[in-house]
Amino acid sequence: DAAAGVQRHRELKPYHLGGRIRPERSALGRGAAAGVGVRREGVQRRQVRGAVALDFLRGELGLMGTHTGCEHGLCGACTVRVDGKIVRGCLVLAASLDGAKVETIEGVSDSGEIRDLQDAFVARNACQCGYCTPGMLLTAADLLAANAKPTREEIREHLSGNYCRCTGYHAIVDAVAATLEARAKDGGP
């Protein structure tokens, strides 16, 4: 039943990335092989130079909502938000995030910012297998923040960089359109 699915979806929020990721230079100086340290909620982590944000978020911080897909920036499974803009986590070096505000699906979900969008995805079975869902949600939220009244064609265009292998595009577009309709009735997100 749809209500049980919505409740189950609400319970799936295992991690929260709050604040900023702050790489700190190694005491060994520039070019040192030791890597870069990162603080998250007061815990320091080390990373290998050249690590991409996706690998660091998943491997070091345990934020598993950002998925590994094509590893070439084409599928959207690794979408994260950096300083308010969506980016592909597989293309961004973790060390380049010095002082940036990095938001994963876990943090955005926990904040309640996309609750209505998540509920619409569940109600319209837009999740299907769920692998593309975090990237789709962040990309849809990006569209809704930039355009309060996109057409269905604009929704499709904005989501076109995110692959859904379950062919759930119609349901995904329906969920975004339903969220828009509900927000218009309620006066906002």
Side-chain angles (χ1 to χ4, degrees):
D1 134 272
V6 169
Q7 183 58 37
R8 186 175 58 252
H9 186 70
R10 285 187 178 142
E11 294 168 0
L12 299 176
K13 299 185 291 185
Y15 301 100
H16 176 68
L17 176 61
R20 296 180 179 274
I21 290 182
R22 300 183 194 280
E24 299 173 338
R25 295 285 169 210
S26 165
L28 300 175
R30 294 182 64 116
V36 176
V38 174
R39 291 190 183 279
R40 173 186 170 242
E41 299 173 5
V43 177
Q44 185 171 350
R45 296 278 195 261
R46 307 244 356 119
Q47 65 167 315
V48 177
R49 286 197 193 281
V52 293
L54 168 66
D55 294 338
F56 187 76
L57 292 167
R58 291 179 61 83
E60 291 298 318
L61 300 182
L63 296 164
M64 304 307 272
T66 305
H67 293 150
T68 304
C70 67
E71 297 187 76
H72 297 286
L74 301 173
C75 73
C78 64
T79 302
V80 295
R81 200 158 51 186
V82 176
D83 291 332
K85 296 182 179 169
I86 58 170
V87 299
R88 302 296 194 229
C90 69
L91 298 179
V92 176
L93 290 176
S96 73
L97 300 174
D98 188 359
K101 181 177 183 185
V102 177
E103 298 170 284
T104 65
I105 190 64
E106 292 91 347
V108 174
S109 178
D110 284 352
S111 75
E113 173 188 340
I114 59 170
R115 170 58 49 212
D116 57 345
L117 190 57
Q118 290 171 304
D119 290 345
F121 266 60
V122 171
R124 281 154 188 79
N125 198 28
C127 298
Q128 299 213 8
C129 83
Y131 200 80
C132 71
T133 304
M136 287 286 188
L137 286 167
L138 287 173
T139 303
D142 179 66
L143 172 65
L144 298 180
N147 183 350
K149 296 182 181 181
T151 65
R152 290 181 70 81
E153 187 56 38
E154 290 171 322
I155 295 169
R156 280 188 202 92
E157 177 65 28
H158 199 79
L159 296 174
S160 67
N162 293 65
Y163 293 164
C164 175
R165 303 207 189 284
C166 299
T167 66
Y169 293 108
H170 294 296
I172 292 166
V173 172
D174 289 345
V176 176
T179 301
L180 285 168
E181 185 178 315
R183 286 182 180 184
K185 286 180 184 175
D186 294 341

